[in-house]
Amino acid sequence: MGIHHRGAAAGLALAAVALSAAGCGIGGSTKTITVVHVHTRTATVTVTTTMAATTTSAATTACTGAQLSGAFKEAPGGGGAGQIEYILTLTNTSSTACTVASPPKAVLFDSSGSQLPTHVTPLYGTGPTVTVASGGSAKATVRFSPDVPGTGDSQSGACQPKAYTLRVIPRGGGTVGAPVKPPTSVCERGTLQFEPFSTS
């Protein structure tokens, strides 16, 4: 086939395609098809939750008189040079720990329950507040003169009436009685020099 015939054949083929396309649009129906491509993407998200460790600790409160029992006893071999030593012991009889402060507030009483002159002073300055466990005790050594009169004391006989009870007033409120054993006069108008409390 020559070049002329090939060109003619190609022209006929193109015309046929054009007529076919045109025929589809004449007297026929046109459908529009919408194809929706949905792309689903699965994302894995890892969430790490950090839980802060929480320590719950109830603040230890000051002891009340109802939580304590007391004793005020002479220390063995604690006397000398006009001074004597007694030991104040406060025992926590409650089921929870509490604190006592140095020096405590306290008042001396005679055998009839009458208040005696009392002056509590720290021997080494204000001591630390100590925590007393349930069933535990806090102890403080107390120094005073039982027989050397000072200003305001009787200058003949006993300087002051004998003290039978030391009533301690804890910071948490209330009072606790500590029997004085043996009962004693406290000179210089009831001056008691307290060492800081300690626990054991």
Side-chain angles (χ1 to χ4, degrees), residues 65-69 91-96 133-136:
Q67 291 178 280
L68 302 171
S69 65
T91 301
N92 182 357
T93 58
S94 72
S95 59
T96 58
S134 173

Side-chain angles (χ1 to χ4, degrees), residues 30-192:
T30 300
K31 287 185 178 182
T32 301
I33 300 174
T34 302
V35 179
V36 179
H37 294 280
V38 179
H39 297 280
T40 303
R41 300 181 65 184
T42 302
T44 301
V45 179
T46 302
V47 179
T48 303
T49 303
T50 303
M51 300 297 290
T54 302
T55 302
T56 303
S57 58
T60 304
T61 57
C63 296
T64 65
Q67 291 178 280
L68 302 171
S69 65
F72 193 50
K73 297 181 179 180
E74 184 178 358
Q83 294 280 313
I84 195 170
E85 289 183 351
Y86 273 52
I87 296 175
L88 173 64
T89 302
L90 298 178
T91 301
N92 182 357
T93 58
S94 72
S95 59
T96 58
C98 59
T99 63
V100 294
S102 303
K105 293 181 179 180
V107 180
L108 293 164
F109 289 86
D110 66 15
S111 60
S112 64
S114 297
Q115 183 174 329
L116 297 172
T118 310
H119 293 86
V120 173
T121 62
L123 189 59
Y124 304 128
T126 302
T129 297
V130 298
T131 299
V132 188
S134 173
S137 298
K139 296 183 178 183
T141 298
V142 185
R143 297 180 185 178
F144 60 91
S145 173
D147 51 20
V148 179
T151 302
D153 291 337
S154 172
Q155 301 299 311
S156 62
C159 60
Q160 292 288 336
K162 284 186 178 181
Y164 281 75
T165 303
L166 178 68
R167 187 158 294 278
V168 180
I169 307 166
R171 290 192 178 180
T175 63
V176 54
V180 179
K181 294 184 178 180
T184 181
S185 297
V186 181
C187 296
E188 298 177 277
R189 294 190 57 78
T191 297
L192 300 168

